[in-house]
Every structure is written in structure tokens, then in C-alpha cells.
Amino acid sequence: MKIRTSRSARADDQEFRLVRYLMSNYDSAVRPSLSVAQPVAVIFKFSLLALLAMDERQGVVSTSCRITQNWNDVHLRWNASDFGGVTTVRIPASQIWRPDRGSVDPSNIGEEHAVLKSSGDISWTSHVLLKSACTLDLRFFPFDFHLCHLNFTSWSYDIQQVSTFSAC
């Protein structure tokens, strides 16, 4: 009996081999930069999905948000021709270095996957529930207007190690 393999089966084998290759000596604790003096540039995009609750007395706003971060990891580059032309792979985000994010409670983040490209470019999108302090001025209710500032910053890296840029 002869069994035919499809292209997708071969692609899965190549993807399996690629992930093993990438992760064989990878350390997610190491900042992905070519030199100590070069910061990792992270592009940060924040999208408000829903306003869940507003506690006027405490000045706390609860929201559902999507955060997307993009950066390049020099340790996760590969030659696609060495892996059957595979140029993109998705792996659990917990397996790679990720920029830490101030203002985000890690317990609110579900298991996500990061999208890796052969160039080392990474895209990581996560859904988060935020509780944020916001001064609420209700004098003109119901015609009031509120502007709440959210500051996302690294807790463990300074600007010389990780530079964050906002994507509009």
C-alpha cells in the first residue's frame, strides 16, 4: 500500500523542524539585541475594545483592550529555503523574549501565540482587561467628557535597553 503525503504534511514537518531549530539554544530571558548598547525597538499599538465599568467614586475605569507589540529578535532569524520555504511560524508567546508592560496585570493575559517571520520580525497580540485610575469630573453629567491617560512602560528595562514607539 502506498501512502501519499500532501504538501501540508511536508510543510508541517518543516515547521516542526524549524521550531526545534529556533528553540534549541534560545533563552527567553536574553534581550534580543546584537549589542549591549543597542536598544530593542518595540512598536506598541493599543486598541480599546469595550468600556466594561466605571466606578465614579473610586475613579477607576475597567476596559477590555487589545495590545499589539512588534519587534525584531536577532536570535529568531532563519533562511526559509532551509526549511521548505516556511517564512512564518506561530509559537506560544511564553516561549520567547517579550517586552514587559507596565499597567498590565499579567494574570489578565491569556495564552497567546506570537507570529515569527524569517527576518526575525515578531508580532504579539494579546487581549487584556485593564483597571485604570482616571479622574472623573461629573459636574456636567450626562454631557460630561473624560480623558484618561494610560502610560505603558517597561518595568525592568530602561530606554537604553528597550525603546517603545506608539503606532497610530
Side-chain angles (χ1 to χ4, degrees):
M1 179 174 169
K2 198 174 198 181
I3 299 175
R4 264 180 84 163
T5 58
S6 66
R7 285 184 160 218
S8 63
R10 281 185 260 145
D12 288 347
D13 292 342
Q14 294 297 334
E15 192 171 311
F16 177 82
R17 196 168 63 82
L18 170 60
V19 171
R20 291 283 185 232
Y21 166 78
L22 291 173
M23 297 293 113
S24 63
N25 289 314
Y26 187 80
D27 186 346
S28 64
V30 177
R31 189 176 58 91
S33 181
L34 287 173
S35 80
V36 174
Q38 182 181 13
V40 176
V42 178
I43 299 170
F44 185 93
K45 183 178 179 185
F46 174 87
S47 301
L48 177 65
L49 302 176
L51 177 63
L52 302 174
M54 187 171 3
D55 183 337
E56 296 87 359
R57 284 200 172 116
Q58 297 294 321
V60 175
V61 176
S62 299
T63 56
S64 172
C65 310
R66 177 182 301 124
I67 295 176
T68 300
Q69 296 181 91
N70 297 293
W71 68 95
N72 188 278
D73 190 325
V74 297
H75 308 296
L76 294 175
R77 295 177 179 167
W78 71 91
N79 185 342
S81 63
D82 293 341
F83 297 93
V86 176
T87 58
T88 303
V89 67
R90 287 160 183 77
I91 65 169
S94 60
Q95 293 183 7
I96 62 170
W97 179 90
R98 295 171 293 172
D100 62 342
R101 301 179 284 214
S103 297
V104 176
D105 178 359
S107 66
N108 287 330
I109 302 172
E111 176 61 58
E112 308 105 5
H113 283 74
V115 178
L116 285 62
K117 298 201 181 262
S118 59
S119 62
D121 289 338
I122 297 176
S123 181
W124 173 39
T125 300
S126 56
H127 175 255
V128 294
L129 302 176
L130 293 180
K131 285 190 177 184
S132 311
C134 186
T135 304
L136 303 173
D137 182 1
L138 302 173
R139 290 178 294 170
F140 303 108
F141 181 81
F143 303 106
D144 48 342
F145 176 82
H146 306 285
L147 182 61
C148 301
H149 295 278
L150 300 174
N151 185 23
F152 295 91
T153 186
S154 174
W155 286 104
S156 57
Y157 296 106
D158 62 30
I159 194 76
Q160 284 80 30
Q161 295 170 314
V162 174
S163 299
T164 303
F165 303 94
S166 178
C168 297

